[in-house]
Amino acid sequence: MAMRKIELLLEISNIILDAESMEDVLTRTVTHLRRGLGSDVCSVYLLSKFKKDTLTLMATDGLSPSAVGNVTMKTSEGLTGLSFTSGEYTFIRNATKHPGFNYFPGINEEPFHTYIGVPLKGRSHTIGVLVFQFQKDKKNTDAMKALIKAAAAQVSTIMMKHYLYEPHNDDDMYEGEISIRGIPLSGGIAIGSPAMVLSRFVEKNTGVLDVVLELSELENAFLKTKADLIKLIDDLDKNGDSIDSEIFQTHLLMLEDSMFREDIKRHVSEHRKSAAFSVRHVADKVIKRFMSIPDRYLRERAGDIEDISKRLLSHLGVMKRDVELGENSILIADALTPGETASLDLEKVTGFITSKDGATSHTAILAKSRHIPAVSGVKKLSEFMEVAETIILDGDSGEIFINPTPERLKEYIEKINNIKQKPDLGEADPNIILPNGERVYFYANVSSLLDAERARSLKADGIGLVRTEIFYLQNPAGFGFGEQVKTYEEILSMFPGDVVFRLFDIGADKKSNLEIPEDNPALGNRGIRLLLDSKRMLEEQLRALIEVYSSYPSLKIMVPFVSTPEELRDVVLLGRQIAEERGVKAPSFGTMIEIPSAVFYIEELAEYCDFFSIGSNDLFQYFFAVDRTNPAVSSLYPTNNKAFLALLEHIYQRVAKTGRKLEICGEIAADERILSHLIKTGYRIFSLNPYVINDLRHFVRNTLC
């Protein structure tokens, strides 16, 4: 046990040295301690700086990630409150029968049998509680007690080291103007007051589980959630908010997915869990699958599942949302789900500030469509907003000023007065002809049938990217040859122009039968590498696409994550062989340029492909070795960086000499400044989110034509 104690504490020290942020330290520490102690849950609760009688869950391994920041309790409540007020190591067996026990079923929390809590202490104050929970009865041995108290002392040191608690007046920490920078999501300037969007979990008595009652309440929650979505869709359609409406159409389809519903029911009936626990458990499983996907757009679709689960949990009575809107409110949240934004009076909202939303999130889409400034990637939101009275939000630069100086306020008021309000320009003419007579084409990236319908309604010039992996990942076992043919035909039947299907761009970090754990899956066996290793899967998809191509000659195939000509050659030759066996002509093949090595193989790649597509998101990431979704580094390299634009110019010149078509795929072209530069460079085909096509057409026509 002595050696185990030393190893446990040493590893915590290594975590402190290696971690990127305090959030990272806490997250990795609870994971390490949970494994080291063999507990089912390890959590850290900290005392609020501004509410001295409130404990907030700050990190957990074992409960739902959505519980972090959203589970709070008074220091006088619950077993954790008992640990805090006693100031002593607390061991409780048969915890669910203790009079102070609190149960939050919406956070995937079991009514655990054994509870251990030990206070985290600062110089002269108790600052929080380190909690361990066990499903089984545990013995309160001296060795375990010593180990846990030593771990708590180490965690307390972390808190002090990083100044999460200071003995001096907290108000002094945030005197005057506070300046922070995030990731711009939607341009414009907003001045207003903060309005926090908080989802709170409601505790319930455990009692004896009645499976029949739980299933009945679950069915009722599904019916009420469906009714909510239908009413919301109808209201949005009446108001002409088609973009918002289509988002909730997708939610309705997900809600009615039989596998999702049956999985939850099975968890209730077979595992004898509460309806709320089962909803949270199944939703978290699906969310984890989405979050493991390298593609940023697909990762952010986890928000759709989160939105649905929140609605279900609300109707099950275990979650409530608190938000008060005044005039000129700036919404503050970790991440805003579509349901949270659509249910609010957005006439009172002048801006969005979040910590986790990305460039292709629903928050970004809705903010751009409504011309509401938005910034993400902002840490310590709750700390800053506790003292915030007035906020300036610059959606163009990503800058945020809390409690600005009179001079700063005057500067930005003048900027707002100088900005002309964007008029409603209506539907843009899709025929964008430049002064030299060349046309600019806007293709759509799609991940669903609804996206394809939207592309058609917007009169997109083509579909430059169908993310076929989204269909596979939603149902790996059921997306075989027949289902693939049906799905591909549905997309092609509703869209008359060219449609480019990207082969499955899945990685070894996916929860599928191909899973092979990797330390860095973004640089691992993903895309075409994995498909060439899984020839059966590759052949089946090529056969399905070629089967459909015989009826829809507008179909094209794109090969993802190519780093050498040999990879592309093997795929194309296999496709031609399959077409020859069927006695038909092979479709056009294209390759994505998203790995820098491919840039230096363009001429060789052109021997096997008919067109190129630049995967700008991944190319940017690998070019700078930076994850643009990580706020710690994303602001270091804006996408209009001189070096990256020079790389895009170099690619254009190399591809032009081959005579092959070239498109740019990704949200980089949604930035009007970069779009102008790319058009002047010679780029003419852009494939991006269908929801921004109309505005970009207006921009090009009004500024470049």
Side-chain angles (χ1 to χ4, degrees):
M1 180 61 74
M3 179 58 69
R4 183 184 178 193
K5 178 178 176 180
I6 293 171
E7 291 174 351
L8 194 77
L9 300 183
L10 280 175
E11 182 56 30
I12 294 176
S13 299
N14 291 334
I15 289 172
I16 297 172
L17 292 172
D18 296 340
E20 298 176 349
S21 63
M22 173 49 56
E23 181 182 14
D24 189 33
V25 168
L26 287 176
T27 300
R28 292 172 59 184
T29 297
V30 294
T31 297
H32 172 63
L33 289 176
R34 178 191 176 191
R35 292 173 180 171
L37 272 295
S39 64
D40 295 292
V41 175
C42 178
S43 305
V44 169
Y45 293 81
L46 292 181
L47 189 66
S48 169
K49 287 185 179 182
F50 304 97
K51 297 178 181 178
K52 297 303 184 184
D53 63 345
T54 301
L55 290 166
T56 301
L57 177 64
M58 299 302 294
T60 184
D61 186 9
L63 303 181
S64 170
S66 63
V68 175
N70 293 323
V71 170
T72 62
M73 62 189 70
K74 298 293 185 182
T75 54
S76 59
E77 296 176 343
L79 302 184
T80 301
L82 179 63
S83 300
F84 181 89
T85 53
S86 70
E88 300 293 336
Y89 173 90
T90 305
F91 180 96
I92 299 174
R93 192 178 287 112
N94 297 322
T96 57
K97 296 180 180 179
H98 191 281
F101 177 75
N102 284 353
Y103 174 45
F104 297 89
I107 64 175
N108 219 359
E109 182 183 39
E110 286 274 20
F112 294 99
H113 292 290
T114 303
Y115 169 93
I116 300 176
V118 57
L120 302 173
K121 296 186 177 181
R123 295 186 180 91
S124 58
H125 301 77
T126 300
I127 60 177
V129 182
L130 175 65
V131 171
F132 295 91
Q133 292 168 284
F134 300 83
Q135 291 186 25
K136 297 180 179 179
D137 289 336
K138 292 288 293 185
K139 291 183 179 180
N140 189 22
T141 65
D142 290 339
M144 184 175 69
K145 181 177 179 179
L147 184 58
I148 289 177
K149 290 182 73 172
Q154 187 85 336
V155 174
S156 297
T157 302
I158 299 172
M159 301 301 101
M160 294 300 297
K161 182 181 177 71
H162 288 267
Y163 309 104
L164 283 186
Y165 183 90
E166 289 293 331
H168 58 68
N169 187 345
D170 291 314
D171 293 335
D172 295 340
M173 296 174 63
Y174 299 116
E175 283 188 350
E177 179 181 274
I178 304 168
S179 174
I180 34 180
R181 182 183 290 272
I183 303 169
L185 293 185
S186 178
I189 296 170
I191 300 176
S193 302
M196 294 288 292
V197 178
L198 301 172
S199 295
R200 295 299 181 199
F201 292 94
V202 181
E203 60 191 274
K204 292 183 72 176
N205 294 328
T206 55
V208 178
L209 184 73
D210 185 332
V211 171
V212 175
L213 179 61
E214 293 295 327
L215 288 172
S216 175
E217 290 183 351
L218 178 64
E219 184 63 28
N220 189 45
F222 266 95
L223 290 173
K224 288 183 176 180
T225 300
K226 181 178 179 179
D228 286 349
L229 291 172
I230 291 174
K231 184 180 184 302
L232 187 55
I233 291 167
D234 289 342
D235 291 344
L236 291 169
D237 284 339
K238 289 175 184 177
N239 294 331
D241 295 326
S242 59
I243 292 177
D244 302 34
S245 173
E246 288 167 1
I247 289 171
F248 294 108
Q249 290 280 7
T250 302
H251 287 196
L252 193 57
L253 289 174
M254 289 180 173
L255 182 73
E256 294 178 330
D257 182 274
S258 59
M259 290 185 63
F260 179 66
R261 185 182 296 226
E262 290 304 315
D263 201 0
I264 297 172
K265 287 183 178 179
R266 184 167 54 253
H267 215 74
V268 174
S269 57
E270 294 182 9
H271 298 283
R272 300 189 65 81
K273 305 297 184 184
S274 70
F277 181 96
S278 301
V279 166
R280 187 71 266 173
H281 177 80
V282 174
D284 283 346
K285 185 171 63 175
V286 178
I287 287 169
K288 188 175 182 180
R289 183 185 298 168
F290 273 106
M291 292 303 292
S292 71
I293 304 170
D295 188 293
R296 186 182 313 161
Y297 181 92
L298 300 182
R299 284 204 308 268
E300 289 169 353
R301 299 294 68 80
D304 295 325
I305 302 298
E306 181 65 24
D307 195 284
I308 293 168
S309 68
K310 282 185 176 181
R311 289 180 181 276
L312 290 169
L313 292 171
S314 176
H315 286 305
L316 287 168
V318 299
M319 174 179 274
K320 64 180 181 179
R321 191 195 62 211
D322 300 317
V323 60
E324 293 183 9
L325 288 181
E327 296 298 324
N328 298 320
S329 290
I330 294 179
L331 281 184
I332 316 293
D334 280 348
L336 287 166
T337 68
E340 287 167 335
T341 53
S343 62
L344 297 170
D345 182 2
L346 292 183
E347 294 299 319
K348 295 181 179 179
V349 175
T350 60
F352 298 119
I353 301 176
T354 64
S355 61
K356 297 177 181 176
D357 284 311
T360 56
S361 66
H362 287 312
T363 300
I365 292 170
L366 293 176
K368 288 176 181 176
S369 70
R370 294 173 180 269
H371 304 297
I372 298 175
V375 173
S376 187
V378 181
K379 300 297 183 183
K380 296 186 180 180
L381 279 175
S382 59
E383 289 185 28
F384 291 130
M385 298 315 154
E386 289 280 2
V387 299
E389 296 180 2
T390 301
I391 297 175
I392 296 175
L393 187 160
D394 190 329
D396 296 311
S397 67
E399 290 180 299
I400 298 168
F401 301 97
I402 300 170
N403 299 333
T405 63
E407 294 77 16
R408 182 87 63 188
L409 194 59
K410 180 181 178 182
E411 172 192 350
Y412 272 87
I413 290 174
E414 290 177 356
K415 286 184 178 182
I416 291 176
N417 291 334
N418 292 332
I419 295 174
K420 294 181 180 179
Q421 198 76 14
K422 282 190 176 181
D424 183 2
L425 300 175
E427 185 177 309
D429 184 347
N431 295 304
I432 306 295
I433 308 299
L434 298 174
N436 63 2
E438 295 179 352
R439 183 177 171 184
V440 176
Y441 297 87
F442 286 104
Y443 288 4
N445 294 338
V446 306
S447 300
S448 67
L449 297 175
L450 283 171
D451 281 348
E453 289 176 358
R454 181 61 179 168
R456 179 178 62 181
S457 67
L458 284 166
K459 300 178 182 176
D461 296 304
I463 293 182
L465 174 65
V466 178
R467 296 179 173 95
T468 62
E469 59 273 7
I470 186 63
F471 302 104
Y472 167 81
L473 290 165
Q474 286 175 336
N475 185 14
F479 198 58
F481 178 84
E483 190 62 30
Q484 287 188 53
V485 169
K486 178 184 175 183
T487 302
Y488 303 153
E489 285 181 338
E490 284 181 315
I491 293 174
L492 285 156
S493 66
M494 71 175 64
F495 197 86
D498 287 344
V499 179
V500 179
F501 290 85
R502 180 173 67 187
L503 297 176
F504 296 137
D505 189 11
I506 56 177
D509 56 334
K510 309 303 181 300
K511 296 298 179 184
S512 73
N513 57 352
L514 298 176
E515 181 181 10
I516 302 171
E518 294 180 319
D519 291 335
N520 193 343
L523 300 179
N525 197 27
R526 56 166 288 202
I528 201 57
R529 299 172 181 174
L530 184 142
L531 290 177
L532 287 171
D533 282 346
S534 308
K535 277 286 184 65
R536 186 175 176 181
M537 186 179 193
L538 174 60
E539 287 182 16
E540 184 175 62
Q541 187 175 26
L542 287 174
R543 289 185 188 281
L545 288 166
I546 291 169
E547 174 76 19
V548 175
Y549 174 68
S550 61
S551 301
Y552 294 93
S554 59
L555 180 151
K556 300 178 187 298
I557 298 174
M558 184 146 63
V559 185
F561 215 63
V562 171
S563 56
T564 68
E566 291 75 21
E567 292 169 333
L568 177 63
R569 177 200 64 198
D570 291 348
V571 175
V572 173
L573 292 181
L574 178 59
R576 290 174 180 171
Q577 177 186 334
I578 292 171
E580 184 178 352
E581 291 172 358
R582 290 199 71 252
V584 298
K585 182 181 177 184
S588 294
F589 279 86
T591 185
M592 296 204 77
I593 300 177
E594 49 194 338
I595 299 176
S597 64
V599 176
F600 300 94
Y601 284 123
I602 285 175
E603 291 77 13
E604 292 91 334
L605 292 169
E607 296 179 19
Y608 301 102
C609 71
D610 302 291
F611 63 96
F612 289 90
S613 177
I614 297 175
S616 58
N617 292 337
D618 269 337
L619 182 62
F620 186 93
Q621 174 173 272
Y622 296 129
F623 185 64
F624 281 114
V626 59
D627 179 358
R628 292 195 64 232
T629 64
N630 181 350
V633 294
S634 58
S635 61
L636 299 176
Y637 303 97
T639 46
N640 63 348
N641 179 281
K642 178 181 178 181
F644 190 62
L645 293 179
L647 175 65
L648 296 180
E649 291 173 9
H650 177 75
I651 294 172
Y652 174 80
Q653 293 165 2
R654 295 276 293 271
V655 173
K657 293 178 181 178
T658 69
R660 300 292 188 265
K661 284 188 176 181
L662 173 64
E663 70 172 42
I664 282 200
C665 179
E667 300 314 301
I668 187 172
D671 186 317
E672 295 174 350
R673 296 167 301 173
I674 298 177
L675 178 61
S676 295
H677 181 90
L678 294 174
I679 289 175
K680 291 174 183 176
T681 298
Y683 286 94
R684 297 293 181 264
I685 305 174
F686 304 92
S687 187
L688 65 175
N689 189 322
Y691 300 99
V692 300
I693 286 177
N694 197 59
D695 284 349
L696 293 178
R697 279 176 171 158
H698 278 299
F699 168 75
V700 175
R701 182 174 296 281
N702 294 334
T703 60
L704 300 177
C705 293

